[in-house]
Amino acid sequence: MMHEGQVEVDEGSLAAAMDRQFPEYAGLPVRRVDSAGTVVAPFRVGDHLLARVPLVPEDSQEARARLHLEQAHARHLRGRLPVEVPSPVGVGEPFPGYPGTWSLWTWLEGVSLDHAPAADPVRMARGVGGLIRAHQSMPTGGRSWNGAGRGGTPLQDSEWVRSSIAKSSHLVDAARVTAAWERALRADPHPGAAVYIHGDPMPGNLLVRDGRLTGMVDVSVPVFGDPAADLQPAWVLFDEPARSVFLEAVGLSDAAHERGRGWALEMAIGGLHYYEHTNPVFFHQAAGTLRRLLEQKT
């Protein structure tokens, strides 16, 4: 178990819930999808649907509002990005063994980027960079920073990062990580209005098919904030020369690159100790991210 309050859902229980709550899809087989995700457990329903069941169940007005907002956001994104986005099908209710709400979506074919190691890194860098740029180019309608996700507030020092460095001192050079963090904090802040950002462009959220980027499967609520937060793939995914190709494709400033290093470091150092014994995929991803970040002298 990765989180306090986490609930494991079996395929049979979810299939029974599907039969009751979505009778138009009754009888479809339900299969757990292999995933290193840290927020939801994905289940394929038949050939054309995907159920997303939060690992930590919640049934509240806020949780329901968040799911409906995520689905409205997905409708808004479809046709505005150079990749496919799943269509929302509905919101599920609590069922025996699972006391929370969940969601149903269309299934997109492809392999997640973290399961596609043979993908051409330069081609992927151009694809992911183009996706981020397209996302950030969407009109915001005058919206301001909304604090809804990573990047929705300015990069700032936090007890979480400092304590995470201390808790990870047996895994990394704490002094070098601290120096890299403090360098990112000194970078010039985002100079303009908040932009439309993804907030979590991680490899498990991106789909590859036939060697090219084709889909984005984890649609959150809309996030408006610092475009540098979406630069995480530069260090999560790419070594040189692909890293420079990605950064050029996104097209942000040197100061944004420094803030992007900070956003990537915040995510990685927190995940390194938190998932050390519970999620080997995310742990090794965090370790690789920190290795790349520390390649640059601070």
Side-chain angles (χ1 to χ4, degrees), residues 67-85:
L67 287 177
H68 285 292
L69 185 56
E70 289 174 355
Q71 296 197 337
H73 187 206
R75 295 186 186 96
H76 177 75
L77 292 177
R78 286 180 61 83
R80 289 180 166 86
L81 299 176
V83 298
E84 297 175 276
V85 176

Side-chain angles (χ1 to χ4, degrees), residues 273-286:
H273 70 86
Y274 190 87
Y275 296 112
E276 181 181 2
H277 303 295
T278 59
N279 190 324
V281 172
F282 201 91
F283 170 77
H284 288 297
Q285 180 178 281

Side-chain angles (χ1 to χ4, degrees), residues 157-291:
D157 206 356
S158 70
E159 176 57 29
W160 168 248
V161 172
R162 298 290 180 170
S163 63
S164 293
I165 293 172
K167 291 176 182 177
S168 302
S169 60
H170 62 296
L171 299 167
V172 294
D173 185 328
R176 292 186 67 203
V177 175
T178 299
W181 175 240
E182 292 178 347
R183 171 175 173 154
L185 293 174
R186 293 193 297 270
D188 291 338
H190 176 52
V195 305
Y196 219 132
I197 61 176
H198 183 287
D200 194 29
M202 302 300 286
N205 300 334
L206 303 172
L207 292 182
V208 176
R209 192 166 66 244
D210 297 328
R212 62 186 184 87
L213 189 71
T214 57
M216 186 179 81
V217 295
D218 185 13
V219 179
S220 71
V221 300
V223 184
F224 303 95
D226 184 1
D230 281 349
L231 295 181
Q232 293 176 78
W235 301 278
V236 175
L237 280 171
F238 301 123
D239 293 298
E240 292 293 359
R243 182 182 307 139
S244 292
V245 171
F246 167 79
L247 292 172
E248 182 177 356
V250 179
L252 297 178
S253 67
D254 289 344
H257 295 173
E258 287 300 326
R259 295 195 310 279
R261 285 166 50 83
W263 288 114
L265 189 151
E266 180 188 59
M267 177 276 300
I269 197 62
L272 191 69
H273 70 86
Y274 190 87
Y275 296 112
E276 181 181 2
H277 303 295
T278 59
N279 190 324
V281 172
F282 201 91
F283 170 77
H284 288 297
Q285 180 178 281
T289 300
L290 290 165
R291 173 186 59 79

